[in-house]
Amino acid sequence: MYLGSQLFTDDEYATRLHRVRELMEQQGLSAVIVTDPANIFYLIGYNAWSFYTPQMLFVPIEGEMVFFLRDMDAHGAHRTTWLPADQIVGYPESYVHRPHVHPFDWVAWALRQRHQIAPASRQGSVGLEMDSHFFSPKAYRALYNAIPEWKLVDSFELVNWVRSVKSDAEIQLMRQAGMVCSQAMRAAIDTIDVGVRQCDAAAAISQAQITGTDDFGGDYPAIVPMMPTGAAADTPHLTWHQGTFNDDEAVVIELTGAHNRYHCPLARTVSLGTPNKDVDYVAGATAEGLNNVLDAIRPGVPTRELASTWNWTLAKYGLEKPSRLGYSIGIGYPPDWGERTISIRTEDETILAENMTFHIVCGMWMDGYGFELSESVRVSATGVETFTSFPRELIRK
């Protein structure tokens, strides 16, 4: 698919909206205000780099959705969304980045003009994405002050939870993202070597991520390649610098493939020269743990059992991992490719269902060294499907 084509059928979009409204009913919400660009993309297909200015999709329990965004972006929004033109509304450019007004001041007025605000006596709670990266305190204050009829409450990632079980069409896009991911990881492994600048390795990865395969191109990733190296591999989220890779260092590579906004992340660790014996020991424990976790995945299994399987494996080696083992993935926009719903840890009560998709992150960040091994997976009807096929071991160069 390419810009200007509809990724999913009308029926699939209708099903998504129906499932969202079912959850709204359960939570007693008369409307949900959607500001996360991944959720907007999920519901109406809109895709552009316009999320740095405020935008919202107003989703009532009944009636038509309305999409509000900056006027210059609203002008061309029809090129990616299926939403009719009269349900796409641009707010004036004079509201962009002004200290004493906010675009949602104008949006509140526009909602009144459209009779979308019921009298207080009939107005139920309105859900907000309180933990969205793109919903600011100033946006909240604008709505709170302009629409006193609304009882504003947290929607608790309502749309994100609907997204947690993928359709077959979404799974196919994730498989394609996995192919892009494989290309990017191969570029990383082939490029990283003693004396090579880290920035040059990052450039090779980025080129592979965007080039994709011969059959389809890649998308820009929600997160840049991460490459903590040597002693700095004891922390996970470091990127690259202009220095070179050195002999007898381990390089952790965490990257993703993205295709039509669907993401498949992957992590591997490359040893340049002789592996540190501690890294080698942790690598063996980690690989065994990941394989045990993958063997445990199937519909009906509680998420906490995956975390327990992992913890018991590590315990045999005298190791532990305080952070979560993984999380739900799918659509991604900067700054994150996670769905912010299911976390694989012992206190998560979610039951695995077919077509849930996860990034299983077996990252061991020790003191002065680290090792990371991960897989993006789908819960299949009988077990697990991995989206890539790289060896689960320390890669020696």
Side-chain angles (χ1 to χ4, degrees), residues 163-221:
R163 286 166 45 199
S164 65
V165 176
K166 310 298 184 290
S167 69
D168 290 342
E170 289 181 287
I171 293 298
Q172 184 57 29
L173 290 176
M174 294 192 71
R175 289 179 179 130
Q176 292 170 333
M179 296 177 196
V180 175
C181 181
S182 293
Q183 297 284 89
M185 184 59 75
R186 176 49 56 198
I189 294 169
D190 289 348
T191 305
I192 291 172
D193 213 337
V194 175
V196 172
R197 295 191 306 172
Q198 291 195 14
C199 53
D200 292 332
I205 293 168
S206 296
Q207 180 175 352
Q209 287 175 314
I210 296 171
T211 299
T213 73
D214 291 339
D215 296 322
F216 47 83
D219 210 338
Y220 64 85

Side-chain angles (χ1 to χ4, degrees), residues 39-251:
N39 290 338
I40 292 172
F41 175 82
Y42 181 75
L43 289 173
I44 65 171
Y46 176 71
N47 181 25
W49 195 286
S50 59
F51 44 84
Y52 70 96
T53 55
Q55 54 190 27
M56 75 146 80
L57 178 66
F58 179 77
V59 184
I61 192 73
E62 295 178 341
E64 296 177 339
M65 295 185 289
V66 186
F67 185 33
F68 295 96
L69 69 169
R70 186 178 181 180
D71 189 63
M72 67 166 59
D73 294 308
H75 178 72
H78 66 278
R79 301 189 185 281
T80 62
T81 177
W82 58 263
L83 214 60
D86 62 349
Q87 292 171 240
I88 302 170
V89 180
Y91 56 78
E93 290 292 319
S94 58
Y95 280 78
V96 174
H97 294 160
R98 299 286 292 274
H100 302 299
V101 294
H102 188 274
F104 286 3
D105 295 326
W106 187 92
V107 168
W109 171 83
L111 284 169
R112 288 191 185 280
Q113 295 297 107
R114 286 174 164 259
H115 306 289
Q116 295 280 10
I117 301 173
S121 60
R122 295 191 288 109
Q123 180 68 56
S125 298
V126 173
L128 302 177
E129 295 181 329
M130 291 289 201
D131 203 31
S132 167
H133 298 297
F134 303 94
F135 185 70
S136 68
K138 196 169 183 179
Y140 175 85
R141 186 180 66 180
L143 294 174
Y144 180 85
N145 289 337
I147 314 177
E149 298 95 321
W150 280 356
K151 178 182 178 182
L152 300 174
V153 299
D154 195 345
S155 66
F156 298 105
E157 287 69 59
L158 184 152
V159 181
N160 304 59
W161 278 100
V162 172
R163 286 166 45 199
S164 65
V165 176
K166 310 298 184 290
S167 69
D168 290 342
E170 289 181 287
I171 293 298
Q172 184 57 29
L173 290 176
M174 294 192 71
R175 289 179 179 130
Q176 292 170 333
M179 296 177 196
V180 175
C181 181
S182 293
Q183 297 284 89
M185 184 59 75
R186 176 49 56 198
I189 294 169
D190 289 348
T191 305
I192 291 172
D193 213 337
V194 175
V196 172
R197 295 191 306 172
Q198 291 195 14
C199 53
D200 292 332
I205 293 168
S206 296
Q207 180 175 352
Q209 287 175 314
I210 296 171
T211 299
T213 73
D214 291 339
D215 296 322
F216 47 83
D219 210 338
Y220 64 85
I223 304 176
V224 298
M226 290 174 283
M227 291 189 297
T229 301
D234 63 1
T235 187
H237 297 132
L238 300 180
T239 56
W240 61 87
H241 54 68
Q242 64 181 4
T244 60
F245 296 107
N246 299 316
D247 199 12
D248 297 334
E249 280 187 335
V251 183

